Amino acid sequence: MPQLSSGGGDDLGANDEMIAFKDEGEQEEKIQENAFTERDLADLKSSLVNESESNSSPAAAAADPEAIRRVQDPQRVYQEKLPDHMEDGIKHQDTGMYKGSAYSGYPFLMLSDPYLPNGSMSPLSNKVPVVQASHGVHPLTPLIPYSNEHFSHGSHSPHLPADINQKQGVHRPSQTSDIPGFYSLPPGGVGQITPSMGWQSQSVYPLPSCGFRQPYSSALSAGATFSRFTHPLMLSSGMHTTGIPHPAIVPHSGKQEMDHYDRSMKPQPEPKREKEAKKPTIKKPLNAFMLYMKEMRAKVIAECTLKESAAINQILGRRWHALSREEQAKYYELARKERQLHMQLYPGWSARDNYGKKKRRAREKQQDSSSAIEEFRLVHPSSSSSSTEQGCYQHALVVGFSERTIGGKRSAFGTYKEKDPVPAQFLPMEVL
DNA sequence: TGGCCTTTGAAGGGA
DNA sequence: TCCCTTCAAAGGCCA
């Protein structure tokens, strides 16, 4: 996958070059079948970015006064219905560093899809209402393609049998009445929220098609400076500064290491237990593939009667490569929006904040990897250092690990057991 | 109970 | 700039 912007930009696609099971000839077939070249995809992504910039202009907004009205109405209703304590919270944000709600990022991102010229809606955004107020869904939902039709684009997905998309009974856990966010909401998240405060709440989020919009706050532009999570509200039980919970904020579950939050939180004289309960974790925004997995996992489970995520992810990984570039671009676009939204909601957040919990495990694996290479060296004494690693690489390929798994983060060749390949019947036709 | 497995992509840091 | 590491989701499995 070619890189689009070297300027640390907001590129749509992945940075890495696609490694797509060349041993199976899949990639070659894809290249032949696809009219899109790598360059085409890069152009497509670039155009998406450019269109984003151009369509977020006031001129584009002026072109659709009706859209503006739709924007303002729900916002007004929202403010009218806002509970007093919520208003206080928001008023509080109007001063100082929290000038403007961090949620103003939503309106910016939820304008009718800015990635098509003339304010027209992209196939994606056309399929994905900005906010499905009538269903009371998460404000992030516009970015969440949980409904099949969001991506069916008028036709079946090429990676699924035709009947799959038509099945109504396919289990779609993320699309139920539960929070349909990209981020898993903890049990205490929405559940502890009064009905008017939940993501699903229509009263608090009277968000018709245009969604929860407010004028984009320049205070949230890239130049805005925020300290890290200095607002206690933002750190409380998945609540944002507005008091509105965000699925990216996950209370301490015991799995998460939250020490890094303590350093940025002002000391609060409150009981220790209560304090611990309020420790949140802000998760990373999901990338394109993660979004795709969320969308397709239930289908694969239903289709293949598999439950083990590792196997499912293997299938999804192959199907991901089998997707057309246009279809992948949809997910890249969603992921890009997701990252934008995340950046606006948590300006000071860094992925590094969540680092640490696997460090020790990684060190152990590295040791295993070193010993595995040494073991290979013993078996192949003539191997030089580089060829030794190459030999391990090839050996691991034979054993059954994918290139990425071997060449990437898990290189403990010698410690892996042979695994069963994904059954052929579970693979998409494109792969077969 | 917690970590592993498995996938791709994004981000951060070191060389 | 390149390379490596870590995390994001998911749920069965295993120690």
Side-chain angles (χ1 to χ4, degrees):
Chain A
M1 194 72 64
Q3 293 193 17
L4 284 182
S5 70
S6 58
D10 209 355
D11 58 327
L12 176 60
N15 293 329
D16 295 338
E17 185 174 356
M18 199 180 282
I19 302 173
F21 309 101
K22 288 189 175 181
D23 54 327
E24 299 175 11
E26 174 188 331
Q27 182 67 10
E28 288 82 351
E29 292 177 7
K30 287 290 297 178
I31 293 174
Q32 292 173 359
E33 292 171 1
N34 249 311
F36 273 74
T37 63
E38 293 290 329
R39 179 66 182 172
D40 290 332
L41 181 59
D43 293 341
L44 169 65
K45 293 173 181 176
S46 297
S47 65
L48 288 173
V49 173
N50 293 336
E51 288 162 0
S52 171
E53 294 170 352
S54 63
N55 281 286
S56 59
S57 65
D64 189 2
E66 174 64 19
I68 295 176
R69 187 190 61 79
R70 289 196 304 266
V71 169
Q72 292 171 343
D73 285 348
Q75 177 184 340
R76 174 171 46 81
V77 173
Y78 169 74
Q79 291 173 344
E80 288 173 357
K81 293 189 176 184
L82 200 62
D84 290 341
H85 62 280
M86 290 283 292
E87 284 187 354
D88 291 341
I90 291 180
K91 287 174 183 175
H92 177 71
Q93 296 168 17
D94 287 339
T95 62
M97 60 164 42
Y98 275 90
K99 184 175 183 178
S101 165
Y103 273 86
S104 56
Y106 277 144
F108 172 67
L109 294 168
M110 292 180 180
L111 289 172
S112 60
D113 196 315
Y115 301 93
L116 286 180
N118 302 324
S120 62
M121 299 292 282
S122 71
L124 176 62
S125 61
N126 191 30
K127 303 282 185 178
V128 184
V130 171
V131 169
Q132 301 169 359
S134 60
H135 297 88
V137 294
H138 191 301
L140 276 176
T141 299
L143 309 183
I144 305 172
Y146 283 120
S147 182
N148 290 348
E149 64 264 30
H150 295 165
F151 287 100
S152 60
H153 197 23
S155 61
H156 296 299
S157 279
H159 47 277
L160 282 178
D163 58 331
I164 293 297
N165 281 348
Q166 296 169 350
K167 287 181 180 177
Q168 298 300 317
V170 173
H171 177 54
R172 304 188 60 76
S174 299
Q175 204 174 7
T176 63
S177 59
D178 294 332
I179 302 306
F182 285 141
Y183 309 102
S184 298
L185 272 178
V190 170
Q192 296 175 351
I193 304 164
T194 59
S196 62
M197 296 284 286
W199 288 111
Q200 317 93 308
S201 170
Q202 183 173 347
S203 60
V204 171
Y205 284 96
L207 309 173
S209 59
C210 45
F212 176 59
R213 300 178 184 174
Q214 295 171 2
Y216 175 62
S217 170
S218 60
L220 288 169
S221 63
T225 57
F226 292 84
S227 62
R228 278 192 177 188
F229 312 122
T230 52
H231 199 299
L233 274 178
M234 192 170 175
L235 297 167
S236 306
S237 303
M239 299 289 265
H240 190 256
T241 53
T242 57
I244 300 170
H246 189 278
I249 307 177
V250 180
H252 182 46
S253 63
K255 272 190 171 184
Q256 308 288 343
E257 296 181 3
M258 299 304 304
D259 294 345
H260 46 277
Y261 286 99
D262 291 336
R263 67 169 183 244
S264 59
M265 290 179 66
K266 291 181 179 178
Q268 296 287 330
E270 55 184 354
K272 184 178 180 180
R273 193 175 62 179
E274 183 179 351
K275 186 178 180 179
E276 287 179 352
K278 288 185 176 181
K279 287 180 179 177
T281 294
I282 298 176
K283 298 282 191 176
K284 290 177 65 174
L286 303 188
N287 62 40
F289 179 69
M290 288 293 156
L291 299 178
Y292 173 75
M293 285 213 310
K294 275 212 158 193
E295 167 76 11
M296 302 303 299
R297 172 177 298 277
K299 290 180 181 177
V300 173
I301 291 174
E303 184 182 357
C304 304
T305 63
L306 285 173
K307 289 185 177 180
E308 200 163 347
S309 289
I312 294 170
N313 291 347
Q314 279 192 335
I315 296 171
L316 287 171
R318 298 191 175 209
R319 288 187 174 183
W320 172 254
H321 289 295
L323 284 182
S324 69
R325 302 197 183 281
E326 293 94 333
E327 287 178 312
Q328 283 190 351
K330 297 173 187 174
Y331 292 94
Y332 285 125
E333 173 65 7
L334 276 173
R336 193 190 66 85
K337 289 181 178 179
E338 182 72 2
R339 288 197 305 275
Q340 273 192 343
L341 175 60
H342 198 277
M343 283 175 54
Q344 307 237 351
L345 290 177
Y346 319 112
W349 181 87
S350 166
R352 201 73 177 177
D353 293 346
N354 292 351
Y355 274 26
K357 59 184 178 183
K358 293 180 180 176
K359 274 184 179 176
R360 186 168 57 87
R361 193 171 64 212
R363 280 197 296 268
E364 293 170 356
K365 277 193 170 294
Q366 197 162 13
Q367 290 177 352
D368 291 341
S369 174
S370 300
S371 59
I373 292 176
E374 186 60 31
E375 185 178 343
F376 182 88
R377 199 171 275 139
L378 290 173
V379 177
H380 304 274
S382 61
S383 300
S384 64
S385 177
S386 60
S387 64
T388 297
E389 301 212 12
Q390 180 65 21
C392 289
Y393 184 90
Q394 295 297 335
H395 171 72
L397 274 179
V398 171
V399 169
F401 295 104
S402 70
E403 292 181 53
R404 182 180 179 87
T405 302
I406 299 162
K409 47 196 170 188
R410 299 185 224 285
S411 55
F413 313 122
T415 62
Y416 276 120
K417 299 179 293 185
E418 291 193 19
K419 64 184 178 65
D420 297 327
V422 175
Q425 66 267 28
F426 294 156
L427 297 177
M429 291 301 296
E430 293 85 341
V431 175
L432 299 175

